[in-house]
Amino acid sequence: QNGMWLQFFVNQDAIYSIEFSLLDSLVDDIQEFDPRSFSIFMGNQLGRPILNSFNQPILDNLIEVSVLITGENDGVFNSGDKIIFYGHGPSGFDLKSEGIEWIQNVYFSSNSCWLFIPDNEQYRGKRVNLAEQPNSGILLDYGISSHHLESDLINLEASGIEWVGNPIPSGGSQPIVLDLGKPKLGAYTSISARFRGHSLTKSSLPSHQLSLTFGSVNGEQLGPLTSWIGNSSRQFSLVTESINLNEGVNIFYIRNLSTDNDSYPYLDYFEIDYGRELNFGLNYEFQTPISNQDLRLSFSGEKPSDIRLWNISDPANIIGYEIDDEGFCNITPHFNDQNRYSLFSESNLNSIKVLTLLNNLSFSLLRQENLQADYIIVGPDRFRNEAEDLLSLRSPSIYANIEQIYLEF
């Protein structure tokens, strides 16, 4: 379809908004457009990295995602209206068949997204659908929240995609600081971490021995020691109900107990899944510990007038739920065994600050089955003129600029 394409970027999973004031500053007579026709698109991986495998099918380059536009029913986008959507960052938690999994993107630090305003105002964009809710369910007052820390500061041995965080020298320690909301007393906590062995001298294979404590460097050890030799990686995992997490700041410490002075392992990532009470307050995401059954979620605290609960299991097809005035919400899981939810207030959203209107766009210059060439030059668009002589010599040939490749693929 013909229309205006406005590009913007998101860098993490969260609920975002595009305010009227931003669009009004970019689009002449924005109030003349019917907001019911507005759409938001993301790449076919929704910002996540493409798998490193051969013979992959070429998928559609853009996927429309569900949005909520407040005040759109009158057919006018005016002051006070806004576009609300679930933004998928380059890295984040995805639902897999075996459960939740963190996907780390080592190629990009933001996800390119598009707001499309069509010339045809009869077109209707994809919207967040309200679910049909059951009359009852298993009462549940807590969910599972997950946090993942992965800094990717150092590229060991210039190995391309092998990125790690800070080192933990022999006799030293590294704090892990987490801000956790409303931990549920007595609920299970799951902790996992990955380490990469390393030596201060290239000629040695040092012995490493790491311990994890909570609250202080000399606090009680959590789980077994992680011991190994050399430069290979090691995984730590622990499931326990004996940790009394704090509401707010929680500090874990990783200590290197090795007596080998060459021991210099790196922290790759640290992840925690914990039970958190369901309450009204700050925005947060959670899973339910019970699957494949109707549930009656119980949220504590005073219900804000603009609170919303979305099922974000499929980020392209969001489902919304109604929460009653007593803080109860009956739900039926919609996506296999695992479902993921976001509770948020419309007045506390991540606001998109920059939109770029791009003209004369084509998403199919390179996506043509009948496009044939014996010679392909890939490079920035600014070098196209310098390549003309070589293109003529190697005809039939094409120049595929990097900007267009990113746009289409």
Side-chain angles (χ1 to χ4, degrees), residues 223-257:
L225 294 174
T226 303
S227 303
W228 77 106
I229 296 175
N231 297 332
S232 62
S233 64
R234 277 297 181 274
Q235 203 87 22
F236 171 88
S237 62
L238 171 70
V239 178
T240 179
E241 56 181 343
S242 63
I243 304 177
N244 292 323
L245 297 172
N246 307 310
E247 180 177 359
V249 176
N250 292 262
I251 305 178
F252 295 85
Y253 293 89
I254 302 170
R255 298 178 60 196
N256 188 346
L257 304 178

Side-chain angles (χ1 to χ4, degrees), residues 4-231:
M4 288 181 287
W5 290 92
L6 297 101
Q7 188 181 34
F8 61 95
F9 296 87
V10 300
N11 56 20
Q12 64 180 357
D13 293 357
I15 306 293
Y16 291 84
S17 69
I18 299 175
E19 307 286 341
F20 166 81
S21 57
L22 178 59
L23 271 179
D24 187 45
S25 67
L26 293 171
V27 180
D28 293 336
D29 301 320
I30 187 62
Q31 292 173 308
E32 301 299 319
F33 293 86
D34 189 337
R36 293 172 293 183
S37 67
F38 295 2
S39 300
I40 286 182
F41 291 84
M42 298 182 188
N44 59 57
Q45 299 297 318
L46 301 175
R48 303 294 200 246
I50 297 174
L51 296 176
N52 295 320
S53 59
F54 295 102
N55 299 320
Q56 296 188 55
I58 298 178
L59 305 174
D60 292 341
N61 59 338
L62 292 178
I63 294 178
E64 185 177 2
V65 300
S66 306
V67 304
L68 167 70
I69 301 183
T70 62
E72 71 172 353
N73 290 336
D74 61 2
V76 179
F77 193 65
N78 47 28
S79 180
D81 294 348
K82 55 187 171 184
I83 305 169
I84 302 174
F85 64 98
Y86 181 63
H88 221 220
S91 302
F93 287 106
D94 285 352
L95 289 175
K96 304 294 183 179
S97 58
E98 64 277 7
I100 192 171
E101 179 183 345
W102 178 267
I103 305 298
Q104 182 74 3
N105 194 331
V106 298
Y107 306 104
F108 295 99
S109 58
S110 61
N111 177 20
S112 173
C113 309
W114 299 89
L115 170 62
F116 179 57
I117 303 177
D119 293 339
N120 178 12
E121 292 193 352
Q122 300 306 310
Y123 175 80
R124 292 295 177 260
K126 181 187 285 190
R127 295 296 180 259
V128 174
N129 294 317
L130 283 177
E132 292 186 9
Q133 297 176 239
N135 294 323
S136 61
I138 299 174
L139 185 64
L140 193 64
D141 66 352
Y142 78 100
I144 306 299
S145 279
S146 302
H147 293 260
H148 183 100
L149 300 179
E150 187 167 356
S151 56
D152 285 350
L153 298 174
I154 300 169
N155 186 214
L156 279 182
E157 310 297 339
S159 57
I161 60 174
E162 177 72 19
W163 289 85
V164 292
N166 290 312
I168 311 168
S170 173
S173 64
Q174 182 174 327
I176 305 294
V177 181
L178 298 167
D179 189 1
L180 306 180
K182 291 288 183 180
K184 173 73 173 179
L185 186 64
Y188 280 97
T189 298
S190 172
I191 297 173
S192 62
R194 183 178 183 271
F195 307 97
R196 169 62 70 179
H198 194 68
S199 174
L200 283 176
T201 59
K202 292 185 178 181
S203 59
S204 70
L205 292 175
S207 299
H208 313 291
Q209 189 174 70
L210 302 180
S211 72
L212 178 68
T213 61
F214 175 64
S216 70
V217 175
N218 298 314
E220 182 180 354
Q221 179 181 311
L222 301 177
L225 294 174
T226 303
S227 303
W228 77 106
I229 296 175
N231 297 332

Side-chain angles (χ1 to χ4, degrees), residues 13 48 86 92-103 138-148 181-182 184 187-188 190 271-279 283-293 295-299 309-314 321 331-343:
D13 293 357
R48 303 294 200 246
Y86 181 63
F93 287 106
D94 285 352
L95 289 175
K96 304 294 183 179
S97 58
E98 64 277 7
I100 192 171
E101 179 183 345
W102 178 267
I103 305 298
I138 299 174
L139 185 64
L140 193 64
D141 66 352
Y142 78 100
I144 306 299
S145 279
S146 302
H147 293 260
H148 183 100
K182 291 288 183 180
K184 173 73 173 179
Y188 280 97
S190 172
E271 185 173 307
I272 183 170
D273 307 304
Y274 75 101
R276 70 158 294 157
E277 296 178 8
L278 299 178
N279 72 300
N283 300 351
Y284 59 91
E285 298 178 7
F286 66 93
Q287 293 172 258
T288 54
I290 301 174
S291 59
N292 295 324
Q293 297 189 60
L295 301 174
R296 182 171 174 81
L297 303 182
S298 174
F299 295 90
L309 179 66
W310 283 0
N311 187 321
I312 57 172
S313 305
D314 179 358
Y321 302 97
I331 63 172
T332 296
H334 284 79
F335 299 95
N336 300 322
D337 294 340
Q338 302 290 330
N339 282 255
R340 191 161 172 79
Y341 305 90
S342 177
L343 183 77

